[in-house]
């Protein structure tokens, strides 16, 4: 079973335009949709739709529309009431796939709520194989919160603690690499996040264009103790780096409808393959297949395992 924590969930509202955005003008949408969101929620949705056991843990009141949407999608979840509505995010997609996302800040979580959420996580991860700590942190939550959760779970569960994957950005990602009792088993940065982690933000574009440079950069984190780095490179696929090697995988071109949630689905695809007992290079292939399938769908829809095309992915080992 895979448990996901989304500390800052959302209702993701996606609007598709017939023409490119015109600032200050009134424009009509050709399509609109709403989906429960936040990185951990998206991963849980992708796992559920492909028949894999998961639980999404998130703060939110029992009658919140986000939780109602999860029920409708039959995504198992456990929520912690917070007495306020979950935020709404807005995504505008232009015909060429250009995506503009406006994220609301989310309701603050005080110290008591943070402690309650941590205790809830410990309870829900007792039988889990993976715990995914994903997405931004709401106001009032310190940057090391994911590290606190991971450390608490490892101390409480000992050898029964699940593997930990982290998919976040900024301070939350940086602190997850210094505050855990041991490093995460897996992190999933994009090129900008990877560059920021190694203190070389100016090389983000270069990383996206060069799998070899990405592998060498990710190896710095593996040398620091991270077991696996899954670096997503947009249309240039993804790179996986471990102490045993590095691989690059890229999918044949697809028509992009929305990139929102594609990275989340990439991580879901990796975890699905890992749960199936596949080799790490094959896990990378499924990650890229899942991300590409998600990018070809509107809004924040997630693909089924059967709708992905791993045969369209080219895999090669990298020297680094």
């Amino acid at each position: 079973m895979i448990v996901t924590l989304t500390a800052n969930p959302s209702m993701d509202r996606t609007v598709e335009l017939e023409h490119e955005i015109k600032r200050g003008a009134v424009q009509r949408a050709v399509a609109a949709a709403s989906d429960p969101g936040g990185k951990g929620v998206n991963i849980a949705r992708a796992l559920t739709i492909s028949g894999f056991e998961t639980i999404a843990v998130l703060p939110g009141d029992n009658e919140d529309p986000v939780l109602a949407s999860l029920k409708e999608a039959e995504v198992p979840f456990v929520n912690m009431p917070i007495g306020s509505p979950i935020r709404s995010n807005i995504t505008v997609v232009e015909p060429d796939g250009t995506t503009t996302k406006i994220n609301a800040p989310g309701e603050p979580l005080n110290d008591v709520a943070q402690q309650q959420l941590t205790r809830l996580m410990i309870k829900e991860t007792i039988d889990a194989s993976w715990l995914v700590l994903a997405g931004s942190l709401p106001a009032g939550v310190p940057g090391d919160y994911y590290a606190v959760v991971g450390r608490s779970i490892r101390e409480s569960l000992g050898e029964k603690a699940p593997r930990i994957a982290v998919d976040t950005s900024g301070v939350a990602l940086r602190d997850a690499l210094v505050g855990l009792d041991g490093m995460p088993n897996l992190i999933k940065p994009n090129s900008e996040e990877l560059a920021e982690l190694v203190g070389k933000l100016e090389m983000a574009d270069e990383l996206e264009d060069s799998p070899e440079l990405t592998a060498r950069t990710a190896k710095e984190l593996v040398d620091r103790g991270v077991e696996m780095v899954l670096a997503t490179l947009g249309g240039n696929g993804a790179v996986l780096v471990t102490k045993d090697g590095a691989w690059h995988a890229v999918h044949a071109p697809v028509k992009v409808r929305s990139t929102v949630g594609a990275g989340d689905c990439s991580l879901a695809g990796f975890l699905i393959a890992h749960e199936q007992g596949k080799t790490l290079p094959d896990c990378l292939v499924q990650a890229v297949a899942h991300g590409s399938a998600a990018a070809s769908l509107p809004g924040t829809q997630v693909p089924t395992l059967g709708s992905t095309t791993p045969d369209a992915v080219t895999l090669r080992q990298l020297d680094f």
Side-chain angles (χ1 to χ4, degrees):
M1 179 178 66
I2 298 170
V3 177
T4 70
L5 170 62
T6 307
N8 202 16
S10 61
M11 178 64 80
D12 286 347
R13 306 184 186 279
T14 303
V15 176
E16 294 188 53
L17 300 180
E18 185 177 8
H19 305 288
E20 66 179 24
I21 291 177
K22 298 177 182 178
R23 294 184 61 192
V26 175
Q27 292 178 257
R28 296 189 182 278
V30 295
S34 295
D35 297 296
K39 284 183 173 296
V41 167
N42 290 338
I43 292 166
R45 289 170 56 215
L47 292 168
T48 298
I49 201 171
S50 291
F52 286 80
E53 188 177 4
T54 184
I55 294 176
V57 178
L58 66 160
D61 292 345
N62 295 334
E63 304 305 319
D64 194 279
V66 169
L67 301 186
S69 295
L70 287 175
K71 288 179 183 176
E72 184 177 354
E74 298 183 344
V75 176
F77 67 87
V78 175
N79 63 298
M80 182 192 73
I82 55 176
S84 55
I86 293 175
R87 65 181 177 146
S88 290
N89 295 335
I90 300 172
T91 299
V92 180
V93 181
E94 298 175 63
D96 66 353
T98 299
T99 301
T100 303
K101 202 165 190 294
I102 303 171
N103 289 347
E107 291 297 319
L109 294 181
N110 60 29
D111 291 345
V112 173
Q114 293 168 40
Q115 293 168 11
Q116 290 174 341
L117 191 56
T118 300
R119 288 194 293 270
L120 184 59
M121 289 304 305
I122 294 171
K123 177 183 176 183
E124 295 302 324
T125 54
I126 290 176
D127 296 319
S129 54
W130 280 93
L131 166 62
V132 183
L133 306 172
S136 63
L137 297 173
V141 178
D144 67 348
Y145 179 66
Y146 286 144
V148 170
V149 173
R151 183 169 57 249
S152 298
I153 285 172
R154 285 174 169 170
E155 289 175 350
S156 298
L157 302 183
E159 294 182 355
K160 294 184 177 181
R163 290 172 173 261
I164 295 176
V166 176
D167 184 7
T168 184
S169 59
V171 175
L173 179 56
R174 182 200 68 196
D175 286 358
L177 301 191
V178 298
L180 276 167
D181 180 17
M183 288 287 188
N185 299 93
L186 171 67
I187 61 171
K188 195 215 68 63
N190 59 27
S191 57
E192 182 176 342
E193 292 157 354
L194 179 59
E196 185 177 9
L197 273 177
V198 298
K200 301 174 183 176
L201 189 56
E202 71 281 355
M203 65 188 291
D205 290 342
E206 192 176 354
L207 286 174
E208 187 148 319
D209 293 335
S210 173
E212 290 79 9
L213 180 59
T214 296
R216 291 194 297 271
T217 304
K219 188 176 184 297
E220 295 182 32
L221 302 175
V222 172
D223 289 343
R224 285 167 51 184
V226 179
E227 183 181 345
M228 295 175 277
V229 178
L230 174 63
T232 51
L233 305 177
N236 203 19
V239 168
L240 177 67
V241 180
T242 75
K243 65 180 179 61
D244 296 320
W247 301 266
H248 172 235
V250 63
H251 196 282
V254 299
K255 178 176 175 54
V256 175
R257 293 195 63 182
S258 174
T259 59
V260 179
D264 308 333
C265 288
S266 293
L267 180 51
F270 184 94
L271 296 175
I272 284 172
H274 196 272
E275 291 288 274
Q276 292 175 319
K278 293 188 176 181
T279 65
L280 292 180
D282 284 341
C283 291
L284 172 62
V285 168
Q286 190 58 54
V288 171
H290 249 80
S292 295
S296 69
L297 296 173
T300 54
Q301 290 186 27
V302 296
T304 64
L305 178 60
S307 68
T308 67
T309 50
D311 289 345
V313 176
T314 300
L315 174 73
R316 65 188 176 101
Q317 188 161 9
L318 300 173
D319 294 324
F320 68 107

